Amino acid sequence: MATKGELTKTRLVDSMLELIQSRGYAGTGLIAVAEHARAPKGSLYFHFPDGKEALGVAAVDRAADQFHELITAAARDEPTAGGVVRRVVEALAALLEASDFQLGCPVSVVTLEMGADSDLLRQSCAAAFESWISPVAELLVEHGRSDDDARGLATTLVSTVEGASIISRAQRSVVPLLRAGQVLSGLVDAR
């Protein structure tokens, strides 16, 4: 069972993640995070003595873990690589719709806003993207692709889904994301 301190830290990270998704990294202040998490400001500095940057890294890491879990769960349940792609894209489309297109990928947001200013955040974002590319590449190898082909295709898949998610938010429609998923699904299953 988690301690009170661990629960508070989790709430802070979850709040930072949600606020980054809706307001961006630059638009998310520590006071807003503490209020959103219903935590005293002092606990924020206790758990994250290095401040906003450290909390941002924790939020990016949490987002990376969540998306990695989505990929691995889809891979367990789907018999084809294209099926995995479809399931992941459909889940992302559902999240976009459920948030009324307010919540985007926090890793993309942090990369775009802070990648040039904070090497720590840039590295965290790079690691997050890699944590998504690697399991997709492994899945493609399991389905008969060479290592090089799988790596290139996995990078393309993640990049395309990220871009399609941004377009979907801009258009307030999941159609771009779902269309990208259809094309990607066919691409990975084609021989």
Side-chain angles (χ1 to χ4, degrees), residues 13 16-28 52-64 104-129 132 162 166 169:
V13 173
M16 181 67 165
L17 177 58
E18 186 175 329
L19 292 172
I20 287 172
Q21 288 177 289
S22 61
R23 299 180 183 178
Y25 180 85
T28 299
K52 183 177 177 180
E53 190 177 43
L55 183 55
V57 167
V60 167
D61 291 348
R62 173 76 46 82
C105 176
V107 179
S108 294
V109 169
V110 173
T111 300
L112 292 171
E113 289 184 14
M114 299 304 298
D117 296 329
S118 168
D119 200 48
L120 186 63
L121 287 168
R122 183 200 57 74
Q123 289 175 7
S124 180
C125 291
F129 287 124
W132 305 340
E162 284 293 313
I166 292 168
R169 278 188 80 190

Side-chain angles (χ1 to χ4, degrees), residues 23-129:
R23 299 180 183 178
Y25 180 85
T28 299
L30 291 178
I31 292 172
V33 173
E35 288 173 356
H36 188 271
R38 295 175 320 280
K41 284 186 273 185
S43 65
L44 196 144
Y45 294 105
F46 174 78
H47 292 291
F48 299 96
D50 293 331
K52 183 177 177 180
E53 190 177 43
L55 183 55
V57 167
V60 167
D61 291 348
R62 173 76 46 82
D65 291 345
Q66 290 172 346
F67 192 67
H68 183 269
E69 289 172 17
L70 176 62
I71 294 168
T72 55
R76 278 192 307 270
D77 297 338
E78 291 292 333
T80 67
V84 173
V85 170
R86 276 190 305 280
R87 169 132 347 148
V88 168
V89 167
E90 288 168 359
L92 293 175
L95 289 171
L96 273 175
E97 282 186 314
S99 75
D100 194 29
F101 300 92
Q102 297 303 305
L103 302 182
C105 176
V107 179
S108 294
V109 169
V110 173
T111 300
L112 292 171
E113 289 184 14
M114 299 304 298
D117 296 329
S118 168
D119 200 48
L120 186 63
L121 287 168
R122 183 200 57 74
Q123 289 175 7
S124 180
C125 291
F129 287 124

